[in-house]
Amino acid sequence: MVLGMTKIYKFQDDISTDARKELEKHSSLSVDTEGSGLQIPHRDKLSLIQFSTGNNDAYIIQPNRKNYKAPNIVKILENQKITKIGHYLRYDISGLEYFLKCDVKNIWDTKIASKLCRTYSQYHGLKDLVQEFCGKKLDKRLGSSDWNKSLSELTDAQLQYCSNDVIYLHKIKNELNKMLVREKRLELYESSIKFLKTRIKLDQSGFTEDIFQH
Ligand code: MN
């Protein structure tokens, strides 16, 4: 279906093999997830997974919450050749790895990058980055809505909302990457992102505080 300018492809349980082959043609994909709440994985569950190729499209998948079997999605997530761009992946990767039992490879986090190069701002939300780099105003009010409804019950506004969370990330990544180079912080960014998977393991083991703090 088409919503506004965005082409939306909806899938139950997993993307089709054809869709996976289409996504595999791209060297970078943006990814986002919606859950039944923010306390993933112990209280809340993974409800939706979204991808975009950066060409105004959104692949929206409702995983099977009984078994979370999604081999085609796992193939994409574990593909070392495809960069997965996300905003605050500490949340999304934790849910994806826990529920889909996979190891997400090659990740790029726009929130970490923003904190390292946009030191002139204290606002690093996706909404702030979309405003600055894409000149668009994101309406984040639907963020906390019921994503566990069946795929056909999700409203156009909800579909538009969860598409908006992935369609701008390629552009934002490109801009932030240029800034990291300009500010000579690319290396610092790269070593920070290497720690992210460890940070997530700490979260999942109950060490949610900053273990480096005095
Ligand atoms: Mn989202």
Side-chain angles (χ1 to χ4, degrees):
M1 66 186 285
V2 178
L3 271 183
M5 299 280 284
T6 313
K7 258 204 203 109
I8 294 180
Y9 307 96
K10 296 190 273 185
F11 298 92
Q12 187 66 53
D13 299 355
D14 193 4
I15 48 173
S16 62
T17 300
D18 281 349
R20 170 173 61 79
K21 286 181 180 157
E22 187 54 43
L23 291 178
E24 282 170 345
K25 292 178 187 162
H26 299 264
S27 59
S28 62
L29 295 170
S30 52
V31 62
D32 184 46
T33 62
E34 309 298 336
S36 52
L38 292 177
Q39 289 183 44
I40 270 184
H42 299 113
R43 186 192 70 182
D44 295 309
K45 283 189 157 193
L46 185 61
S47 309
L48 282 185
I49 303 161
Q50 308 101 271
F51 289 105
S52 175
T53 69
N55 299 316
N56 233 324
D57 53 13
Y59 291 69
I60 300 174
I61 309 104
Q62 183 167 67
N64 182 326
R65 291 195 301 276
K66 289 198 184 87
N67 59 28
Y68 282 102
K69 266 182 76 175
N72 281 323
I73 294 177
V74 167
K75 269 200 185 121
I76 296 284
L77 294 174
E78 294 192 334
N79 189 331
Q80 180 66 49
K81 290 185 189 137
I82 304 173
T83 306
K84 267 68 67 173
I85 312 165
H87 190 77
Y88 195 63
L89 286 170
R90 185 174 171 181
Y91 174 81
D92 303 289
I93 289 184
S94 181
L96 288 167
E97 293 196 338
Y98 180 88
F99 288 106
L100 304 190
K101 296 185 179 58
C102 63
D103 180 12
V104 184
K105 304 240 172 73
N106 191 350
I107 54 184
W108 213 96
D109 192 312
T110 49
K111 188 160 197 165
I112 293 172
S114 174
K115 285 186 175 174
L116 288 173
C117 64
R118 291 175 66 256
T119 45
Y120 53 82
S121 173
Q122 47 177 323
Y123 301 107
H124 302 285
L126 179 65
K127 190 183 156 88
D128 306 301
L129 301 182
V130 169
Q131 170 85 66
E132 179 165 332
F133 298 118
C134 310
K136 296 254 165 60
K137 271 206 183 312
L138 267 199
D139 185 350
K140 291 297 287 181
R141 280 173 301 180
L142 276 175
S144 32
S145 66
D146 181 9
W147 300 109
N148 282 348
K149 288 196 281 193
S150 74
L151 208 49
S152 58
E153 282 174 331
L154 291 176
T155 62
D156 284 2
Q158 279 182 306
L159 292 170
Q160 185 74 66
Y161 172 89
C162 62
S163 308
N164 283 344
D165 277 356
V166 284
I167 58 178
Y168 300 111
L169 287 173
H170 286 76
K171 163 87 173 148
I172 292 170
K173 181 208 166 207
N174 287 343
E175 296 303 319
L176 289 173
N177 195 67
K178 277 189 249 170
M179 289 172 79
L180 286 169
V181 171
R182 190 189 72 199
E183 302 302 321
K184 300 190 170 53
R185 297 230 170 92
L186 191 59
E187 230 178 287
L188 188 57
Y189 163 80
E190 279 166 356
S191 43
S192 303
I193 199 82
K194 276 193 194 129
F195 181 69
L196 185 60
K197 299 277 280 230
T198 305
R199 178 60 269 180
I200 291 164
K201 279 190 201 122
L202 287 164
D203 286 339
Q204 293 183 347
S205 311
F207 295 96
T208 48
E209 77 276 20
D210 177 2
I211 56 158
F212 296 107
Q213 211 161 33
H214 177 58

